[in-house]
């Protein structure tokens, strides 16, 4: 027992948690005593005795859990424990519950954890739809309702879509570029463990007096600065989720820039790598802004600062500028990795190189650059400076161009291919093209100021965001999970169940979110617990479809869990793909490669006989293998 | 390599976009239109719907044709043609969308200028938003005041000067197509020219707390005579607080604060 307590792990973590909380509490008491304030008084919204421990307790846990052991020993000049590589690989399920530094273990931890949050977020969504199935108040009170849609959005965005992409890339990206691991494995592990912490903080807000945070995922001031305690849980949770994103993005950047296998120049990187490079550039540039915005709200709340208090010269609208300066790029943080995933899948299953590969990569970079210049399209009716509206409209409309390039190039990839549709991954990728196009079109409509004036903050916006986030991001997430499932687990999933899941999801998505365009344009605002009875029929249909969509996800879960355990063994390369991750065993060995592969050609040289992307270690020893030249057939036009 | 049946595909795109546009335009998406401003906005929407149908049809036809033509037979392990791209095509699908969206942008800008044209003759109504109620003052009519309901004469431009008392709210009358946030500490306004008599609803569209769903007000558009009669019936006047200038208002709030010893909502109280 005593030894167990000294070892990094759950016991020490629990002790750290308690000590961390006690430290925070003590700090508040001490500081209040020093400043001559009533030591134990709790204010209506400030609650320093709760919110400060809420920050310190997770750090206590992380210390105890072993997240910082190596760094501390190193900083203190003590011999570091060569845990280094005992933290690698997973030999039993218990290894997934440790501070494990193996990118493949971390990738799996990410995917499983975020899937759990997807379920929680989905249940919250179904509660919302149950309330909205009929006009009038049925199951929840109005203020509880606001908490439901706020937590739903926050869980889905910060704990599902953003991190699951990080998780999938964590698993496959180092393999794809021929690296043995990520550049900073300990930082990688820390990034993962920050996530469940953020999740617990968000969900714990339901227990706070006054209920869960309920100012929307956007948390506009001054509604948020005056809200009950739950809002502080949001402010703090975002810091942990944001820190996790930023650390992962730095890790990806360094990994991609410095750890590519010899021969992999920029134009030989698979598009998934390009996509994560672009996403990471958005994350490191933009995420600090949401962290800052939430800190400012937090300080307004507990320290009585006046960033957004108009009575003291604060500026209410500046919150929105800072928030959207992150949150518009964030919508592309939630989409670009998916672009990467479908590029891989479509090329592999159409047996053809990605059409216009270089333009595809440049379009990603174009989106990154433009993304930083469109934030105020969320504020066309917010009362901001008039002159800013038209320039922002122009950049917003222009961002549809690189997005369109991607859609057309995927279609071009299919032409003259050999399109295989037996894999659920490919089905989701194809459905993604159509569904995402609808979301892109409604985006362009919203970008046009006169139309946005009418439909801003209505169900039309709800339809847009779900077409791009469900029909866009989530479809690509499913595609990615199905595609790399055999690589990650070494087993095959059931394609029949995959098809059931596919059709249920596609039909469910369209039936649920298409009518929202109509009720929104016709006059139904968003974020309401009740609506005019003339929208009753549509809303009933939306709710029924939403339940269908929800139920279908159970098929997915069943398929994943059962196939992981009992599925037939998958070969190394069931999809006959060219990229490097498919040239190693499934699942790959602990350090990925016995010898670092050598990259000799582009990633998608399907159809060129004898063309190779990479030569694996041990292969072709001594023999000169020529660099592959892409063949030069051009399409007839 | 087979040549593509370009002509047939173009035809299919045209047919499909016509069908889509016709179906889409059958519906009255935005619902009733009851203001002068609604006209150009609705036309803009219709143009956009037609263009969108066209773009969507291109994607559908391309995807459908590819799947119809190049589905692999089960067991076929051969690869597709090693085509890496086509510069001309790539330039086309970059440049045409640029022209298209810039065109839409220019058109939108023109509509925006159009709907925001101010009329000197406009009627001004001060609109006060607070959790969770709307009230209205009529500065031209002796600062008469109405709660939860306002009337305007038909055919005359109205400027709603928005003031939020606590958090952000938003002013939206769907039939007028016009929306603007009311922001604490900031003066914003809405310009609209009601064109059709009738009763409408003013809807708050910015989340403002637990009562947000029910934060509505009744809108009555009527003839000048009816309006004059109605305004005469109103007995209340705008409370003095609401008439303060911004500076006066801030001053007043500060005093209130000092009396009550705390800033509401900030959680900080002076002990
Ligand atoms: C063609 C590209 C796109 C354009 C032109 C576009 C445009 C817009 C505009 C103008 C708004 C503001 C609407 C309003 O509040 O009045 C908006 C909202 C939104 N968009 Fe997009 N969008 C595009 C693609 C995307 C993508 C790819 C995503 C995410 C995957 C996305 C996610 C969202 C979200 C989440 C919101 C709502 C934020 C909120 O108010 O809660 N959009 N979009
Ligand atoms: Cu945006
Ligand atoms: Cu409201």
């Amino acid at each position: 027992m005593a030894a167990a307590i000294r070892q990094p792990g759950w016991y020490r973590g629990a002790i750290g948690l308690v000590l961390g909380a006690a430290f925070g509490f003590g700090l508040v008491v001490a500081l209040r005593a020093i400043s001559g304030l009533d030591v134990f008084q709790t204010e209506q919204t400030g609650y320093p005795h709760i919110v400060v421990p809420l920050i310190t307790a997770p750090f206590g846990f992380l210390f105890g859990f072993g997240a910082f052991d190596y760094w501390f020993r190193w900083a203190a000049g003590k011999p570091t424990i060569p845990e280094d590589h005992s933290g690698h690989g997973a030999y039993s399920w218990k290894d997934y519950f440790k501070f494990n530094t193996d990118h493949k273990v971390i990738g799996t931890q990410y995917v499983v954890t975020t899937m759990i949050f997807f379920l929680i977020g989905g249940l919250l969504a179904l509660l919302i739809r149950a309330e909205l199935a009929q006009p009038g108040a049925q199951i929840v009170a109005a203020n509880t309702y606001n908490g439901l849609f706020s937590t739903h959005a926050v869980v889905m965005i910060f704990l599902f879509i953003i991190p699951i992409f990080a998780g999938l890339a964590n698993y496959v990206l180092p393999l794809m570029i021929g690296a043995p691991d990520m550049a900073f494995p300990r930082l990688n592990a820390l990034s993962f463990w920050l996530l469940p912490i953020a999740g617990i903080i968000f969900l714990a807000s339901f227990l706070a007096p006054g209920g869960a945070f309920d100012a929307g995922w956007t948390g506009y001031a001054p509604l948020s600065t005056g809200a009950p305690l739950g809002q502080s849980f949001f402010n703090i949770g975002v810091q942990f989720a944001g820190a996790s994103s930023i650390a992962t993005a730095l890790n990806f950047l360094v990994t991609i820039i410095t750890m590519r296998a010899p021969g992999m120049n920029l134009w030989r990187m698979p598009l998934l790598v390009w996509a994560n490079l672009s996403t990471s550039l958005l994350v490191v540039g933009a995420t600090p802004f949401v962290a800052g915005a939430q800190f400012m709200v937090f300080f307004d709340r507990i320290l009585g600062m006046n960033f957004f208090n108009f009575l003291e010269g604060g500026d209410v609208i500046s919150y929105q500028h800072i928030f959207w300066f992150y949150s518009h790029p964030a919508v592309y943080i939630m989409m670009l990795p998916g672009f990467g995933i479908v590029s891989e899948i479509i090329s592999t299953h159409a047996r053809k190189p990605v059409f216009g590969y270089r333009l595809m990569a440049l379009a990603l970079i174009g989106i990154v650059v433009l993304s930083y210049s469109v934030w105020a399209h969320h504020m066309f009716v917010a009362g901001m400076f008039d002159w800013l509206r038209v320039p922002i409209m122009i950049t917003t409309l222009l961002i549809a161009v690189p997005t369109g390039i991607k859609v057309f190039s995927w279609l071009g990839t299919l032409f003259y291919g050999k399109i295989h549709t037996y894999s659920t991954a490919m089905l989701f990728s194809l459905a993604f093209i159509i569904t995402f196009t609808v979301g892109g079109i409604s985006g362009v409509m919203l970008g046009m100021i006169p139309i946005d004036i009418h439909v801003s903050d209505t169900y039309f916006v709800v339809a847009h965001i779900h077409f791009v986030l469900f029909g866009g991001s989530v479809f690509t997430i499913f595609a990615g999970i199905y595609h790399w499932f055999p690589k990650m687990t070494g087993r095959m999933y059931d394609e029949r169940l995959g098809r059931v899941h596919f059709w249920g999801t596609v039909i469910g998505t369209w039936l649920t979110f298409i009518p929202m365009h109509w009720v929104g344009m016709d006059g139904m605002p968003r974020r309401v617990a009740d609506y005019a009875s003339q929208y009753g029929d549509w809303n009933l249909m939306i709710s029924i479809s939403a339940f269908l969509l929800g139920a279908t996800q159970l098929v997915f879960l069943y398929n994943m869990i059962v196939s992981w355990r009992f599925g037939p063994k998958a070969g190394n390369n069931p999809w006959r793909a060219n990229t490097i991750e498919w040239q190693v065993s499934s699942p790959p060995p602990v350090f990925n490669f016995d010898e670092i592969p050598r990259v000799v050609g582009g990633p998608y040289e399907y159809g060129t006989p004898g063309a190779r992307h990479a030569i694996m270690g041990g292969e072709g020893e001594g023999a000169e293998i020529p660099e592959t030249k892409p063949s030069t057939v051009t399409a007839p036009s | 390599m087979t040549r593509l049946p370009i002509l047939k595909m173009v035809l299919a795109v045209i047919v499909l976009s016509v069908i889509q546009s016709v179906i889409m335009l059958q519906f009255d998406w935005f619902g009733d239109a009851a203001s002068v401003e609604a006209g150009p906005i609705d036309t803009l929407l219709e143009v956009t719907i037609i263009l969108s149908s066209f773009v969507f049809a291109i994607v559908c036809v391309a995807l459908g044709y590819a799947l119809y033509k190049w589905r692999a037979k089960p067991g076929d392990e051969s690869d597709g043609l090693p085509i890496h791209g086509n510069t001309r095509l790539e330039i086309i699908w970059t440049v045409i969308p640029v022209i298209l969206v810039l065109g839409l942008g220019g058109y939108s800008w023109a509509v925006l200028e159009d709907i925001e044209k101010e009329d000197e003759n406009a009627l001004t109504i001060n609109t006060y938003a607070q959790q969770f109620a709307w009230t209205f003052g009529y500065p031209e009519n002796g600062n008469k005041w109405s709660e939860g309901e306002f009337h305007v004469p038909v055919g005359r431009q109205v400027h709603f000067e928005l003031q939020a008392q606590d958090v952000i709210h938003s002013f939206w009358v769907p039939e007028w197509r016009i929306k603007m946030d009311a922001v604490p500490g900031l003066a914003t306004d809405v310009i609209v020219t009601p064109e059709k008599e009738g009763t409408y609803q003013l809807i708050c569209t910015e989340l403002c707390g637990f009562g947000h769903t029910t934060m509505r007000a009744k809108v009555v558009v009527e003839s000048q005579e009816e309006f004059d009669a109605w305004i005469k019936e109103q007995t209340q006047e705008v409370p003095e607080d609401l008439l303060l200038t911004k500076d006066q208002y801030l001053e007043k709030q500060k005093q209130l604060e000092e009396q009550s010893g705390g800033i509401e909502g900030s959680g900080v109280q002076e002990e």
Side-chain angles (χ1 to χ4, degrees):
Chain A
M1 191 65 199
I5 289 173
R6 254 177 281 126
Q7 289 292 319
W10 287 98
Y11 286 119
R12 224 182 69 178
I15 294 170
L17 184 77
V18 174
L19 291 181
F23 172 74
F25 192 83
L27 193 66
V28 173
V29 169
L31 287 177
R32 290 186 71 93
I34 293 170
S35 5
L37 295 170
D38 188 355
V39 172
F40 286 117
Q41 198 227 339
T42 49
E43 287 86 356
Q44 278 309 298
T45 59
Y47 291 104
H49 299 82
I50 296 180
V51 295
V52 174
L54 199 61
I55 300 171
T56 52
F59 280 105
F61 167 76
L62 288 170
F63 284 127
F65 199 54
F68 302 114
D69 279 23
Y70 183 96
W71 290 327
F72 278 161
R73 288 182 156 270
W74 191 82
K78 285 200 217 159
T80 52
I81 301 172
E83 63 76 42
D84 229 4
H85 297 314
S86 62
H88 259 76
Y91 304 94
S92 85
W93 62 269
K94 285 189 186 141
D95 289 335
Y96 287 97
F97 292 85
K98 288 188 180 147
F99 192 78
N100 200 311
T101 55
D102 182 331
H103 78 96
K104 296 189 290 302
V105 175
I106 294 172
T108 310
Q109 288 173 324
Y110 258 107
V111 173
V112 173
T113 310
T114 49
M115 268 296 157
I116 292 170
F117 285 116
F118 178 49
L119 286 186
I120 296 173
L123 288 176
L124 291 167
L126 293 184
L127 275 176
I128 295 171
R129 280 323 312 178
E131 171 59 46
L132 292 178
Q134 274 170 14
Q138 280 90 30
I139 53 175
V140 293
N143 49 344
T144 323
Y145 179 84
N146 292 357
L148 285 183
F149 68 69
S150 305
T151 44
H152 158 71
V154 166
V155 166
M156 288 300 196
I157 290 172
F158 291 110
L159 295 170
F160 171 53
I161 296 185
I162 295 177
I164 199 170
F165 279 133
L168 282 168
N170 231 301
Y171 200 105
V172 297
L173 191 139
L175 287 160
M176 270 187 165
I177 62 172
D181 202 323
M182 295 279 279
F184 306 118
R186 285 176 213 89
L187 186 65
N188 201 16
L190 178 62
S191 311
F192 166 72
W193 285 100
L194 288 170
L195 262 197
I197 291 174
I200 290 168
I201 293 175
F202 287 143
L203 294 175
S205 73
F206 276 105
L207 305 175
F213 53 90
D214 59 1
W217 81 279
T218 48
Y220 276 12
L223 187 61
S224 53
T225 49
L229 176 61
Q231 194 67 34
S232 294
F233 283 58
F234 172 67
N235 301 148
I236 295 168
V238 167
Q239 307 304 331
F240 285 97
S244 162
S245 286
I246 295 173
T248 308
L250 284 171
N251 220 336
F252 279 133
L253 285 177
V254 177
T255 308
I256 295 169
I257 293 169
T258 65
M259 292 177 69
R260 278 167 292 140
M264 180 172 283
N265 59 36
L266 284 186
W267 298 121
R268 284 176 179 170
M269 293 195 318
L271 283 171
L272 184 120
V273 179
W274 271 107
N276 279 285
L277 179 69
S278 318
T279 308
S280 302
L281 288 173
L282 285 173
V283 171
V284 294
T287 309
F289 284 82
V290 75
Q294 298 317 316
F295 266 133
M296 289 160 96
V297 169
F298 187 62
F299 291 159
D300 271 13
R301 291 167 57 79
I302 73 160
L303 298 177
M305 292 190 176
N306 294 312
F307 290 113
F308 309 120
N309 180 356
F310 72 102
L311 296 178
E312 297 288 344
D315 180 3
V316 170
I317 291 209
S318 63
Y319 174 85
Q320 298 171 34
H321 282 295
I322 306 169
F323 179 83
W324 288 115
F325 198 77
Y326 162 73
S327 289
H328 181 81
V331 309
Y332 278 98
I333 291 169
M334 294 187 264
M335 199 60 258
L336 297 189
F339 286 175
I341 291 173
V342 290
S343 298
E344 300 300 322
I345 295 173
I346 289 180
S347 166
T348 305
H349 288 271
R351 316 299 309 157
K352 249 194 79 204
V354 171
F355 195 94
Y357 165 88
R358 289 191 184 207
L359 191 60
M360 283 291 253
L362 291 176
L364 287 168
I365 301 299
I367 291 175
V368 170
V369 174
L370 278 173
S371 265
Y372 283 110
S373 66
V374 301
W375 78 94
H377 65 211
H378 297 271
M379 302 166 59
F380 284 148
V381 295
M384 65 163 185
F385 334 101
D386 283 346
W387 61 264
L388 190 55
R389 294 178 304 170
V390 172
I392 289 278
M393 167 169 74
I394 302 300
T395 50
T396 298
L397 295 176
L398 282 177
I399 211 169
V401 175
T403 314
I405 290 174
K406 307 222 61 115
V407 171
F408 294 130
S409 301
W410 290 316
L411 292 171
T413 308
L414 294 172
F415 275 58
Y416 297 101
K418 282 277 160 68
I419 307 169
H420 293 273
T421 50
Y422 59 87
S423 133
T424 310
M426 182 64 165
L427 293 178
F428 268 110
S429 305
L430 296 175
F432 157 80
I433 297 180
I434 292 279
T435 318
F436 180 74
T437 301
V438 176
I441 288 174
S442 60
V444 170
M445 291 179 153
L446 288 168
M448 298 162 62
I449 303 168
I451 296 183
D452 185 69
I453 290 176
H454 178 54
V455 292
S456 183
D457 271 312
T458 68
Y459 257 77
F460 189 87
V461 173
V462 181
H464 164 69
I465 69 186
H466 287 91
F467 259 85
V468 286
L469 289 174
F470 210 115
S473 314
V474 179
F475 279 18
T476 63
I477 288 167
F478 285 140
I481 291 180
Y482 282 115
H483 190 65
W484 283 292
F485 184 86
K487 184 52 62 186
M488 296 173 78
T489 64
R491 291 176 188 274
M492 226 28 220
Y493 61 87
D494 183 330
E495 295 285 9
R496 279 224 328 277
L497 290 178
R499 265 161 206 265
V500 174
H501 175 228
F502 168 74
W503 285 112
T505 304
V506 171
I507 295 171
T509 304
W510 279 71
L511 291 182
T512 306
F513 301 120
I514 277 281
M516 290 185 181
H517 292 102
W518 306 337
V519 292
M521 281 189 178
D522 199 39
M524 180 167 162
R526 74 192 278 208
R527 293 175 168 162
V528 287
D530 190 10
Y531 46 84
S533 50
Q534 82 229 48
Y535 306 121
D537 292 345
W538 282 125
N539 273 287
L540 183 61
M541 170 182 160
I542 292 171
S543 289
I544 293 173
S545 315
F547 277 90
L548 168 85
L549 185 57
T552 312
Q553 305 317 313
L554 298 178
V555 179
F556 169 73
L557 272 193
Y558 174 85
N559 194 358
M560 291 295 109
I561 293 170
V562 172
S563 306
W564 195 349
R565 191 91 179 75
F566 303 109
K569 287 247 180 306
N572 293 352
N573 193 357
W575 316 124
R576 301 185 295 126
N578 276 0
T579 41
I580 299 174
E581 82 273 26
W582 299 104
Q583 317 311 322
V584 294
S585 64
S586 302
V590 174
F591 287 104
N592 298 350
F593 311 101
D594 300 330
E595 215 178 284
I596 296 299
R598 197 152 61 81
V599 176
V600 293
Y604 310 114
E605 298 301 334
Y606 301 102
T608 308
R612 297 286 298 273
H613 173 47
I615 297 177
M616 306 306 288
E619 215 190 311
E621 234 30 272
E624 260 307 300
I625 295 186
E627 296 260 314
T628 304
K629 293 227 167 41
S631 59
T632 46
V633 185
T634 45
S637 51
Chain B
M1 192 154 53
T2 47
R3 287 192 80 82
L4 292 176
I6 303 277
L7 203 69
K8 278 190 199 157
M9 289 170 74
V10 171
L11 250 129
V13 167
I14 292 174
V15 171
L16 196 62
S17 36
V18 168
I19 295 176
Q20 275 177 34
S21 310
V22 168
I23 296 177
M24 301 277 285
L25 294 180
Q26 283 307 307
F27 291 91
D28 180 16
W29 292 117
F30 278 3
D32 292 338
S35 73
V36 172
E37 290 72 14
I41 297 180
D42 287 5
T43 315
L44 177 66
L45 180 79
E46 277 162 16
V47 171
T48 314
I49 285 181
I50 293 171
L51 277 177
S52 307
S53 303
F54 180 64
V55 173
F56 188 63
I58 294 179
V59 175
C60 288
V61 168
L63 183 65
Y65 183 74
L67 283 178
Y68 158 76
K69 181 81 197 213
W70 291 292
R71 271 291 266 288
K73 310 234 160 27
D76 181 354
E77 299 227 325
S78 62
D79 285 344
L81 286 184
I83 301 167
H84 286 81
N86 178 324
T87 311
R88 214 169 67 192
L89 210 56
E90 288 165 37
I91 291 176
I92 291 177
W93 69 45
T94 309
V95 172
I96 292 185
V98 170
I99 296 171
L100 208 69
V101 297
L102 288 182
L104 283 176
Y107 183 11
S108 303
W109 191 359
V111 172
L112 186 67
E113 296 278 299
D114 190 14
I115 62 179
E116 292 193 336
K117 246 187 263 136
E118 291 187 30
D119 186 347
E120 280 171 16
N121 243 335
L123 170 71
T124 299
I125 299 185
N126 291 326
T127 306
Y128 309 99
Q130 64 188 29
Q131 288 171 325
F132 301 97
W134 296 99
T135 53
F136 308 89
Y138 295 80
E140 284 180 21
N141 304 77
N143 272 325
K144 287 283 180 60
W145 197 49
S146 66
E147 292 175 278
E149 175 175 350
F150 73 87
H151 289 224
V152 285
V154 70
R156 177 167 174 205
Q157 193 175 70
V158 191
H159 287 195
F160 294 91
E161 307 285 343
L162 305 181
Q163 286 186 34
Q165 309 294 306
D166 36 40
V167 299
I168 304 174
H169 303 274
S170 194
F171 179 106
W172 185 40
V173 179
E175 291 80 1
W176 290 350
R177 311 287 187 263
I178 294 296
K179 179 180 296 121
M180 182 50 82
D181 284 4
V183 184
L186 200 72
T188 56
D189 64 349
V190 168
I191 298 174
V192 75
T193 317
E195 186 178 50
K196 244 190 223 167
E197 291 181 28
T199 309
Y200 308 96
Q201 211 171 28
L202 166 61
I203 300 173
C204 174
T205 46
E206 187 63 61
L207 179 63
C208 55
F210 69 89
H212 169 57
T213 304
T214 50
M215 187 170 161
R216 308 258 165 128
K218 187 171 157 194
V219 180
V220 178
V221 183
E222 58 200 5
S223 67
Q224 186 70 45
E225 298 77 57
E226 286 168 310
F227 174 75
D228 292 338
W230 177 79
I231 206 92
K232 230 175 258 149
E233 278 169 32
Q234 303 308 306
T235 49
Q236 281 177 300
E237 279 185 21
V238 179
E240 245 166 58
D241 282 16
L242 293 180
L243 290 175
L244 303 176
T245 63
K246 187 177 164 193
D247 288 340
Q248 290 168 326
Y249 178 73
L250 292 181
E251 194 52 38
K252 175 102 191 282
Q253 288 292 327
K254 274 226 185 93
Q255 282 166 8
L256 281 178
E257 226 164 71
E258 268 150 33
Q259 283 161 21
S260 72
I263 309 163
E264 207 217 325
S266 73
V268 172
Q269 270 157 31
E270 274 110 276
E271 264 107 318

